[in-house]
Amino acid sequence: MSPDGSILAQAIGLILAWDPALAEIIALSLRVTLTAVILSCVIGLPLGAAVGAFRFPGRAVLAVIMNALMGLPPVVVGLVVYLMLSASGPLGVLQLLYTPTAMIIAQTILVTPIVAALTRQTVEDLSQEYSEQFASLGVGPLARVGALLWDARYSLLTVALAGFGRAVAEVGAVIIVGGNINHVTRVMTTTIALETSKGNLELALALGVVLLALALAVNAMVMAIRASAGRTVYA
């Protein structure tokens, strides 16, 4: 067997044996990512729905800003969060730097604009379609947003999955604010970078396979949700 084949076999072996170190890293990655995505949805879904459903002064500017923030450089976000949470920063008293909480904050800042911007576009399209019905029924603002979010639930699930995919692959911001500390803040992406530099390719490749499997699973879920939505529409 070639050296590359041997490394791949050992990586697969780590996964099949569910190596404790591998399991710990994966569990922390999923905990940080899922928490960040949930927080991003709590913030981004209502914000995007409000901007998409209503007309108000400055709405166009806000929409442009939301779209621009989708491309936030992760290292810049990591630097800003680092400065805020460092001992000399305004939030240094909380002592959150180099903790999973700091990583969650950074990922939430990165994912929220994505969720908000995609939600805005989805809700805006639906709002234009239902505007006459809402007006004729005298639907209030809160009821309108709730109805639009419910009607767009399948599309918004794909938005949340897109946010998950963005967060789980993040490395720049989380390594700055988390420090890549063993058994504390070491997640899949930062471990891959570290172990590759150390020459420990078996663990790095095993985590890479898991990340790839997660990406495939997310895409499969998106396709399944879209197919389900299509069957619901035409049922």
Side-chain angles (χ1 to χ4, degrees):
M1 182 178 293
S2 67
D4 289 345
S6 175
I7 292 172
L8 178 59
Q10 293 178 55
I12 298 299
L14 288 175
I15 297 173
L16 294 178
W18 201 239
D19 179 75
L22 182 78
E24 180 185 28
I25 293 167
I26 294 172
L28 178 60
S29 297
L30 292 177
R31 178 164 67 88
V32 169
T33 298
L34 289 172
T35 303
V37 170
I38 291 171
L39 291 174
S40 297
C41 289
V42 169
I43 300 169
L45 290 177
L47 175 61
V51 176
F54 305 115
R55 300 291 185 269
F56 51 87
R59 175 181 177 275
V61 175
L62 185 56
V64 169
I65 293 174
M66 289 167 59
N67 288 333
L69 291 178
M70 291 177 67
L72 272 174
V75 290
V76 174
V77 172
L79 176 59
V80 171
V81 175
Y82 177 91
L83 293 174
M84 295 291 290
L85 299 180
S86 64
S88 58
L91 301 178
V93 67
L94 299 177
Q95 298 183 340
L96 296 177
L97 195 61
Y98 302 137
T99 67
T101 302
M103 299 161 69
I104 291 170
I105 292 171
Q107 285 196 354
T108 300
I109 294 173
L110 285 169
V111 175
T112 297
I114 297 174
V115 173
L118 295 178
T119 300
R120 180 201 62 79
Q121 186 60 59
T122 300
V123 171
E124 183 175 352
D125 293 340
L126 281 177
S127 181
Q128 293 174 355
E129 181 180 347
Y130 296 156
S131 59
E132 293 184 1
Q133 292 177 321
F134 286 149
S136 64
L137 295 173
V139 178
L142 290 179
R144 178 180 300 188
V145 170
L148 290 171
L149 287 174
W150 175 253
D151 198 60
R153 60 192 181 279
Y154 291 110
S155 297
L156 297 180
L157 280 174
T158 64
V159 169
L161 289 173
F164 175 84
R166 174 67 182 84
V168 77
E170 173 50 37
V171 59
V174 296
I175 202 170
I176 291 175
V177 301
N180 202 20
I181 303 171
N182 195 24
H183 305 301
V184 179
T185 59
R186 190 162 292 176
V187 293
M188 285 189 284
T189 51
T190 59
T191 303
I192 290 172
L194 176 65
E195 297 302 328
T196 300
S197 67
K198 291 166 54 178
N200 186 9
L201 300 181
E202 295 82 6
L203 180 56
L205 185 56
L207 291 169
V209 170
V210 173
L211 266 179
L212 181 59
L214 284 173
L216 291 173
V218 167
N219 279 277
M221 290 175 66
V222 169
M223 293 180 65
I225 289 170
R226 287 178 176 173
S228 176
R231 289 194 297 268
T232 300
V233 170
Y234 294 106

